[in-house]
């Protein structure tokens, strides 16, 4: 497809956008998204059949995952020389699965920085290995914080003196989850040895931590994660925060998270999410009234550092997640 052609006007153009979108991270690699090409717009829907009912009763993690896919689709369109024109529909009672639609906007030259983020889409992987002792320098932290701000969120490094306390909270949340048989059954459904196109494959689990430190999610709930390893003594953590809560905020949190992860990838910084604590909060807030103020809410806890190469994980093919609405049936 010529770089200047409307990417939504040809099957290859649409395919390029959706291929980028589905490389996004998603909770337990559930890939909870669906795309519908309708009247010249690419609609992003949440696939509620892939929501995790135990740890994600409100659909927060599902919507964040979809937000990450949306950022990738935006970058893919921008790098064809068109500004993505995005209408956010998340939280719109009219259609509870429709989160956003993307249309082809005016011609524009993609800035080099955005091209670099697009290039990082397929090299970003969750890294659950021990990281080196090397500190992330201030200018890299500043770039990560700026990435979050670009998408209307905030990223704050956790003060190194507060990291052990934060890891204790994450560890306590992990233990509570592990003691919940419903959590174990849900994790079982999304972790696998077999070849399949979703879920977290065993080769990506990462080792358990020996002794102190990092409390990574134990994907091998059956205790077969292999030899424990020594993780970095001083893990480096950051929290991603938004003002307020709710579906539209979660969608923008997902875009912010993905811009942070891609920026880190571009800088050679490895990332891993430790969100067990947020799962527990979501589970406890299951019945909370869906009204929120404008205070800050933590949407992700990210471990950053320098690690070995992390493996890529499978994705369902574009044909499984993309539909074309028959003419005249929508709009
Ligand atoms: C909202 C959200 C929460 C996640 N929580 C965790 C987590 O607690 N622990 C973890 O190791 N990975 C977590 N992940 C990463 C996913 O497991 C990962 O994105 C998925 O398995 C696909 O692998 P990839 O990121 O390497 O492409 C999370 C991802 C998202 C989007």
């Amino acid at each position: 497809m010529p770089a200047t052609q409307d990417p939504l006007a040809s099957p290859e153009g649409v395919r390029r956008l959706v291929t980028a979108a589905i490389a996004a991270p998603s909770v337990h690699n559930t890939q909870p998204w669906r795309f519908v090409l309708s009247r010249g717009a690419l609609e992003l829907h949440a696939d509620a059949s892939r929501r995790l009912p135990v740890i994600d009763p409100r659909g927060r993690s599902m919507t964040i995952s979809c937000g990450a896919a949306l950022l990738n689709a935006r970058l893919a369109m921008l790098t064809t020389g068109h500004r993505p024109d995005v209408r956010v529909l998340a939280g719109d009672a009219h259609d509870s699965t429709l989160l956003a639609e993307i249309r082809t906007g005016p011609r524009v030259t993609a800035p080099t920085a955005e091209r670099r983020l697009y290039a990082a889409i397929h090299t970003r992987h969750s890294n659950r290995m021990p990281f080196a002792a090397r500190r992330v320098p201030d200018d890299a932290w500043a770039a990560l914080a700026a990435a979050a701000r670009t998408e209307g969120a905030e990223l704050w490094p956790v003060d190194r003196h507060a990291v052990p306390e934060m890891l204790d909270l994450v560890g306590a949340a992990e233990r509570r989850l592990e003691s919940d048989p419903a959590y174990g059954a849900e994790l079982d459904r999304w972790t696998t040895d077999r070849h399949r196109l979703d879920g977290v494959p065993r080769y990506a689990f990462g080792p358990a931590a020996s002794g102190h430190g990092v409390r990574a999610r134990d994907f091998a709930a059956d205790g077969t994660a292999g030899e424990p390893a020594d993780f970095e003594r001083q893990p480096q953590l950051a929290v991603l925060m938004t003002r307020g809560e709710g579906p539209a905020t979660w969608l923008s949190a997902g875009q912010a998270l993905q811009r942070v992860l891609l920026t880190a990838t571009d800088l050679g910084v490895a990332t891993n999410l430790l969100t067990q604590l947020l799962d527990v909060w979501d589970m406890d807030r299951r019945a909370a009234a869906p009204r929120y103020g404008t205070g800050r809410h933590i949407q992700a806890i990210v471990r950053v550092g320098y690690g070995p190469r992390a493996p890529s994980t499978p994705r369902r093919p574009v044909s499984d997640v993309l539909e074309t609405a028959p003419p005249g049936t929508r709009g």
Side-chain angles (χ1 to χ4, degrees), residues 8 12-24 33-36 42-43 69 72-73 76 122 316-319 321-322:
L8 294 181
E12 315 86 81
V14 174
R15 199 183 167 74
R16 181 172 174 278
L17 256 62
V18 176
T19 301
I22 65 181
W33 40 62
R34 228 162 37 81
F35 298 86
V36 179
L42 186 65
E43 298 177 351
N72 285 4
H122 293 285
R316 293 176 296 149
V318 169
S319 55
V321 298
L322 174 64

Side-chain angles (χ1 to χ4, degrees), residues 53-136:
V54 176
I55 60 166
D56 192 22
R58 303 187 300 161
R60 190 186 64 87
S61 293
M62 175 181 74
T63 312
I64 288 181
S65 306
C66 289
L70 177 57
L71 182 83
N72 285 4
R74 284 170 49 203
L75 291 170
M77 180 174 285
L78 194 57
T79 51
T80 65
H82 295 270
R83 205 173 65 206
D85 192 355
V86 176
R87 190 150 77 106
V88 173
L89 296 151
D92 188 334
H94 179 64
D95 179 342
S96 61
T97 72
L98 179 56
L99 299 177
E101 54 183 37
I102 313 173
R103 290 175 192 279
T104 306
R107 294 283 310 280
V108 56
T109 303
T112 307
E114 304 285 301
R115 292 184 175 282
R116 293 181 68 108
L117 295 187
Y118 175 72
I121 286 175
H122 293 285
T123 51
R124 180 216 58 82
H125 306 300
S126 296
N127 195 325
R128 303 187 183 90
M129 300 301 288
F131 293 169
R134 183 176 157 201
R135 308 299 294 171
V136 172

Side-chain angles (χ1 to χ4, degrees), residues 25-27 29 124 126 128 217 219 272-273 275 313 315:
S26 61
V27 62
N29 199 18
R124 180 216 58 82
S126 296
R128 303 187 183 90
R217 191 186 295 273
F219 285 100
N272 176 210
L273 298 176
T275 58
T313 53
R315 295 293 187 273

